[in-house]
Amino acid sequence: RGYSVGPGMNIRFIVGEGKGIIRERAVIPEELENNKYDVDYYINNQILPSAESILAVFGFEKDEILHGKKQSKLESFFG
């Protein structure tokens, strides 16, 4: 895209909405049109993996997080 990139530079990017592979939808923040980023990408690839590893300690699985089974009370973990 014509940007000068050197070794060790940090490159900020956002995955925009749309179809196609991620690298084709990745843009620098200034190029993102109407703040239309891919919410599903960020939920499935950034938030869920982190939340899944934390909540696994309490016995939750990915499907329970995604499909929202009834919330347990704290007492149920110590009963």
Side-chain angles (χ1 to χ4, degrees), residues 6-34:
M9 282 184 66
N10 288 324
I11 301 171
R12 297 179 326 138
F13 70 92
I14 298 174
V15 177
E17 286 183 332
K19 298 190 187 258
I21 56 178
I22 299 300
R23 72 171 180 242
E24 293 173 353
R25 297 187 292 130
V27 296
I28 61 172
E30 294 80 16
E31 291 181 353
L32 187 64
E33 295 180 12
N34 300 319

Side-chain angles (χ1 to χ4, degrees), residues 22-72:
I22 299 300
R23 72 171 180 242
E24 293 173 353
R25 297 187 292 130
V27 296
I28 61 172
E30 294 80 16
E31 291 181 353
L32 187 64
E33 295 180 12
N34 300 319
N35 294 323
K36 300 258 182 176
Y37 61 93
D38 188 341
V39 174
D40 290 331
Y41 169 81
Y42 286 100
I43 289 172
N44 292 318
N45 295 288
Q46 302 290 320
I47 297 171
L48 274 180
S50 298
E52 185 178 13
S53 62
I54 294 167
L55 294 175
V57 173
F58 299 105
F60 289 96
E61 294 181 6
K62 184 177 183 177
D63 288 337
E64 292 176 296
I65 298 168
L66 286 174
H67 303 296
K69 288 191 175 181
K70 187 176 178 184
Q71 185 173 351
S72 300

